[in-house]
């Protein structure tokens, strides 16, 4: 049975939009590379802050960085899923080139591999 790519396209588009919203809270698109996101520096003005506040600012930045990395890696998977739909190769395992089963795609439309080849 052919895969209903329209169904998964809608799911992926919805996830992409919500990931973009999340990413915009903690990061911004790299102006030199629109497919790359970078963490926002802490907003706090550290110029007159004491040492504790500066340390807090750095911790915030590292937190943002970790969140951006997690969201960005998911964002790339989702974009690659949409890419595959556009190219007509959606739902094919990257390793064995067999079709990925429906339940797995339903749970994760951005899946790159079949159940057997997920790590
Ligand atoms: Zn496989």
């Amino acid at each position: 049975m052919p895969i209903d790519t329209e169904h998964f396209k809608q799911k992926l588009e919805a996830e992409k939009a919500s990931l973009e919203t999340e990413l915009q809270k903690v990061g911004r698109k790299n102006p030199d590379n629109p497919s790359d996101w970078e963490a926002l520096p802490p907003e706090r003005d550290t110029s007159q802050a004491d040492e504790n506040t500066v340390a807090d600012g750095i911790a915030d930045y590292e937190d943002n960085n970790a969140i951006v990395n997690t969201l960005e890696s998911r964002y790339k998977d989702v974009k690659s899923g949409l890419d595959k739909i556009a190219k007509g190769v959606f739902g094919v395992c990257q390793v064995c080139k067999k079709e990925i089963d429906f339940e797995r795609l339903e749970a994760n439309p951005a899946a790159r591999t079949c159940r057997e080849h997920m790590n």
Side-chain angles (χ1 to χ4, degrees), residues 93-98 100 113-118:
C93 171
Q94 266 184 192
V95 180
C96 65
K97 314 290 181 212
K98 284 183 192 155
I100 302 171
T113 56
C114 70
R115 236 177 259 277
E116 211 181 312
H117 293 112
M118 61 196 275

Side-chain angles (χ1 to χ4, degrees), residues 40-63:
L40 286 179
E43 276 175 27
R44 212 168 316 185
D45 175 16
T46 52
S47 58
Q48 297 170 19
D50 64 29
E51 264 174 47
N52 281 343
T53 320
V54 175
D56 281 355
I58 292 165
D60 281 356
Y61 179 69
E62 282 174 359
D63 283 355

Side-chain angles (χ1 to χ4, degrees), residues 26-41:
V26 288
R28 61 172 175 220
K29 276 185 185 169
N30 181 341
D32 300 323
N33 177 4
S35 69
D36 187 38
W37 291 75
E38 52 190 20
L40 286 179

